[in-house]
Amino acid sequence: MTKSVPFLDLEPSHEPLRGDLDAAWAEVVDSNAYTLGHLLEVFETEWAEYCGVEHAIGVANGTDALEMILRALEIGTGDEVVIPASTFVATAAAVVAVGATPVFTDVDSATMLITGDHLRAAITARTAAVIPVHLYGNPVDMSELSQVAEPTGIAVIEDAAQAHGAQIGDHKIGSLGRAAGFSHYPTKNLGAFGDGGSITTDDAQLAERLRRLRNHGRAAQSDQEYVEVGRTSRLDALQAAILSVKLAHLDAWVKTRREIVESYDEHLPHGLKRVGADLLTSSSPHLCVVRVEHRDRVRSELQDAGIGTSIHYSDPVSRTPAYGGLSGVHPIAESSADRALSLPLWPGLSEQQIVHVCAELGRAVSRVSS
Ligand SMILES: Cc1ncc(COP(=O)(O)O)c(C=O)c1O
């Protein structure tokens, strides 16, 4: 009998790296430098190079990354920031934190991503920025979006929290806007062993300001000169050292993730299609999401069969109590939220397990609809 399949298992990714991870931990202990310092600089250099940008700035988490980009671009009260309704609440939280207003758009039905048309329809005289979210690891068509944004001077800020290593043509996600915010939350495609985040950008002035903002507003060249109001939002040396170890494996993991979702695409029950399936070759699959009727009952049937699933997300942000009432009606985001079901996806998931998940999913779907 096939054993149960967890929604997520990080052990197969971490176990082969145990020696390197232990060495990284020891290096941090020996360094006596637990915030900022050499190990953070090493990760920032490697990560900038990987993403194909000039600068990477390690910060405390992905939400701070987005918030600080907005702050550094002086976006705030009176400004509107366009974001897709289908995203994690953090995208909206960052906008509200700087005093700006999130303007939610609907999303494309096949990809659940924002498009140029969505942005065009949302632009007003107050629009200062758009935050395309590369949801589930599938990249937004950035050239289409930039064509709409650029003539109007709207800043394009990538929410790359779910898409480490995704790539459009030769260009990595994180290099396709004014700046990008990444989350390194443990479950992410490049995850730390705790909270972590980073910002990537080609803009040297913006990078310098972000380095200041994350460190109490302290000038780079001085310990004692506080040139603007900042905060504490640094990526710890420990998390940076772990991320450096893991970064060396990111490409291999992205490849494996693509093979896994490709296998899902082959074995999913008739009539079900993975969200963003057509973007396979450019994506860094983070979540494998299908849409099913009677989702909660299907989920419970799968749970009874020992298969872990999750929901991303049960509400579009615009329908949550926290952000509801802010704006608009988003039929695709809303109907997707009611039907979205995330299936197991992690490096180490076997073909046999995928076939089993798909067979049980097929059985569950027929049972609840009969
Ligand atoms: C799309 C998206 N944006 C932003 C974030 C925020 O990242 P963090 O949890 O590191 O603050 C996340 C994290 O889950 C996310 O999925």
Side-chain angles (χ1 to χ4, degrees):
M1 199 178 100
T2 311
K3 287 206 307 214
S4 62
V5 184
F7 174 65
L8 179 67
D9 185 358
L10 296 176
E11 203 199 316
S13 299
H14 290 158
E15 193 49 39
L17 313 186
R18 194 174 271 269
D20 290 345
L21 291 167
D22 286 348
W25 163 248
E27 196 179 348
V28 176
V29 174
D30 291 343
S31 75
N32 273 318
Y34 309 120
T35 60
L36 301 177
H38 175 65
L39 290 165
L40 177 60
E41 282 168 21
V42 169
F43 171 66
E44 289 177 337
T45 305
E46 293 169 346
W47 184 225
E49 196 178 326
Y50 180 90
C51 293
V53 293
E54 292 294 321
H55 309 277
I57 300 108
V59 297
N61 55 66
T63 314
D64 280 9
L66 294 173
E67 183 190 330
M68 285 195 292
I69 295 168
L70 291 166
R71 210 174 279 286
L73 292 173
E74 303 199 338
I75 292 168
T77 310
D79 292 324
E80 289 177 354
V81 178
V82 177
I83 63 173
S86 294
T87 182
F88 183 52
V89 285
T91 320
V95 176
V96 172
V98 298
T101 304
V103 173
F104 298 102
T105 70
D106 209 352
V107 288
D108 177 77
S109 135
T111 62
M112 288 179 68
L113 303 175
I114 188 172
T115 65
D117 285 344
H118 292 119
L119 172 60
R120 196 176 287 110
I123 291 176
T124 72
R126 292 168 55 193
T127 309
V130 55
I131 307 184
V133 180
H134 306 300
L135 195 72
Y136 308 153
N138 297 317
V140 169
D141 185 336
M142 292 296 287
S143 77
E144 184 195 88
L145 205 75
S146 298
Q147 272 168 28
V148 179
E150 259 161 30
T152 50
I154 294 168
V156 180
I157 300 165
E158 293 176 84
D159 183 337
Q162 302 190 0
H164 316 68
Q167 163 160 7
I168 300 178
D170 290 337
H171 299 285
K172 283 262 161 46
I173 290 309
S175 69
L176 296 165
R178 184 78 190 276
F182 286 89
S183 167
H184 299 294
Y185 183 74
T187 59
K188 296 292 196 269
N189 289 8
L190 181 64
F193 283 3
D195 281 309
S198 61
I199 297 165
T200 51
T201 183
D202 274 326
D203 182 332
Q205 268 186 329
L206 187 67
E208 190 185 338
R209 185 158 195 202
L210 287 161
R211 286 182 203 285
R212 227 169 31 223
L213 285 176
R214 73 170 173 185
N215 192 28
H216 304 291
R218 204 177 259 151
Q221 63 283 2
S222 157
D223 256 7
Q224 292 306 326
E225 206 186 332
Y226 299 92
V227 290
E228 66 177 312
V229 178
R231 61 201 287 174
T232 327
S233 183
R234 301 168 297 229
L235 181 70
D236 292 344
L238 174 61
Q239 303 303 348
I242 282 160
L243 287 169
S244 282
V245 171
K246 294 182 71 175
L247 179 55
H249 301 270
L250 179 58
D251 279 340
W253 287 330
V254 171
K255 182 168 175 285
T256 306
R257 286 174 174 278
R258 281 189 193 146
E259 285 162 4
I260 289 170
V261 293
E262 214 176 349
S263 174
Y264 269 117
D265 293 345
E266 199 180 314
H267 296 292
L268 278 172
H270 183 68
L272 292 191
K273 188 169 179 191
R274 186 173 58 83
V275 172
D278 296 337
L279 298 174
L280 175 72
T281 53
S282 53
S283 75
S284 171
H286 176 56
L287 293 166
C288 176
V289 178
V290 292
R291 286 174 285 204
V292 291
E293 303 302 330
H294 315 293
R295 185 261 324 277
D296 294 341
R297 283 168 57 203
V298 170
R299 192 172 181 219
S300 140
E301 295 265 344
L302 288 174
Q303 191 179 354
D304 292 346
I307 292 166
T309 59
S310 190
I311 297 175
H312 300 85
Y313 297 92
S314 52
D315 279 307
V317 182
S318 48
R319 203 169 67 181
T320 60
Y323 299 94
L326 273 173
S327 72
V329 178
H330 313 104
I332 293 168
E334 281 162 26
S335 84
S336 293
D338 295 337
R339 294 181 296 136
L341 181 68
S342 306
L343 303 174
L345 167 56
W346 33 273
L349 187 71
S350 70
E351 174 88 12
Q352 194 197 5
Q353 286 173 309
I354 295 165
V355 170
H356 175 60
V357 170
C358 290
E360 288 296 340
L361 177 60
R363 269 193 279 279
V365 167
S366 346
R367 258 199 302 268
V368 304
S369 40
S370 60

